[in-house]
Amino acid sequence: MASHLPFQLMISSERKMCSLFRRAVRNLESWHHDRAAFRYEVALLRARFDEIKMCKDRDPDVFNQLLKNEEQELFKYQHWQPKKWPKTIGGNAYGRVPVIPDWVLDYWHPLEKAQYPKYFATREKRKEEFIKMWEEEYGKPDVCKGGHH
């Protein structure tokens, strides 16, 4: 259910500036494949942000306007295909690791289980402990006879 009241998080100006700087650096990283050119552009960017930081104490209105201008410039020059880390959402390795549920091991063939006797002995012991704990806490399940409730 959406609220009819306008809502905006109150974020400090330092956090806004750090976030904007980080996003601008990531954008530069997408544009420059040569490390030397990238580092040069980051140094220039850092100098611009240091100048903006100096304005913060003197005139907050100018500071906010300069941050807004940098935000607009970042939007204007954003890369058409931004660089993403492989395991982040949108990265090429996102969601690749399958999460296999534990019950799959119950369907292993006895010859497969025989290759790991200690593991499966411990697993069976843990399953029995879990069933005992469950029955103590919730009681034994009601089994319906003949499929009728």
PDB file of all heavy atoms in Angstrom, residues 3 20 65 106 130:
ATOM      1  N   SER A   3       1.961   5.134   0.294  1.00  0.00           N
ATOM      2  CA  SER A   3       1.612   6.242   1.166  1.00  0.00           C
ATOM      3  C   SER A   3       1.355   7.486   0.324  1.00  0.00           C
ATOM      4  O   SER A   3       1.962   7.692  -0.724  1.00  0.00           O
ATOM      5  CB  SER A   3       2.748   6.488   2.147  1.00  0.00           C
ATOM      6  OG  SER A   3       2.478   7.646   2.894  1.00  0.00           O
ATOM      7  N   LEU A  20      28.095  10.121  -4.716  1.00  0.00           N
ATOM      8  CA  LEU A  20      28.237  10.698  -6.052  1.00  0.00           C
ATOM      9  C   LEU A  20      29.648  10.495  -6.584  1.00  0.00           C
ATOM     10  O   LEU A  20      29.831  10.126  -7.756  1.00  0.00           O
ATOM     11  CB  LEU A  20      27.877  12.181  -6.014  1.00  0.00           C
ATOM     12  CG  LEU A  20      27.972  12.925  -7.331  1.00  0.00           C
ATOM     13  CD1 LEU A  20      27.012  12.324  -8.349  1.00  0.00           C
ATOM     14  CD2 LEU A  20      27.646  14.405  -7.112  1.00  0.00           C
ATOM     15  N   GLN A  65      24.103  23.297  -4.886  1.00  0.00           N
ATOM     16  CA  GLN A  65      23.967  23.520  -6.326  1.00  0.00           C
ATOM     17  C   GLN A  65      25.100  22.841  -7.094  1.00  0.00           C
ATOM     18  O   GLN A  65      24.866  22.242  -8.143  1.00  0.00           O
ATOM     19  CB  GLN A  65      23.945  25.032  -6.629  1.00  0.00           C
ATOM     20  CG  GLN A  65      23.687  25.354  -8.085  1.00  0.00           C
ATOM     21  CD  GLN A  65      22.361  24.803  -8.582  1.00  0.00           C
ATOM     22  OE1 GLN A  65      21.347  24.890  -7.899  1.00  0.00           O
ATOM     23  NE2 GLN A  65      22.371  24.215  -9.764  1.00  0.00           N
ATOM     24  N   ASP A 106      18.936 -37.656   0.229  1.00  0.00           N
ATOM     25  CA  ASP A 106      18.146 -38.833   0.598  1.00  0.00           C
ATOM     26  C   ASP A 106      17.940 -39.774  -0.588  1.00  0.00           C
ATOM     27  O   ASP A 106      17.678 -40.954  -0.409  1.00  0.00           O
ATOM     28  CB  ASP A 106      16.782 -38.420   1.151  1.00  0.00           C
ATOM     29  CG  ASP A 106      16.902 -37.724   2.490  1.00  0.00           C
ATOM     30  OD1 ASP A 106      17.877 -37.996   3.210  1.00  0.00           O
ATOM     31  OD2 ASP A 106      16.014 -36.901   2.809  1.00  0.00           O
ATOM     32  N   PHE A 130      16.807 -34.169  14.884  1.00  0.00           N
ATOM     33  CA  PHE A 130      15.891 -33.125  14.434  1.00  0.00           C
ATOM     34  C   PHE A 130      14.444 -33.598  14.533  1.00  0.00           C
ATOM     35  O   PHE A 130      13.570 -32.859  15.000  1.00  0.00           O
ATOM     36  CB  PHE A 130      16.211 -32.708  12.998  1.00  0.00           C
ATOM     37  CG  PHE A 130      15.297 -31.638  12.472  1.00  0.00           C
ATOM     38  CD1 PHE A 130      15.469 -30.315  12.842  1.00  0.00           C
ATOM     39  CD2 PHE A 130      14.240 -31.955  11.637  1.00  0.00           C
ATOM     40  CE1 PHE A 130      14.618 -29.333  12.374  1.00  0.00           C
ATOM     41  CE2 PHE A 130      13.381 -30.977  11.166  1.00  0.00           C
ATOM     42  CZ  PHE A 130      13.576 -29.660  11.534  1.00  0.00           C
TER      43      PHE A 130
END
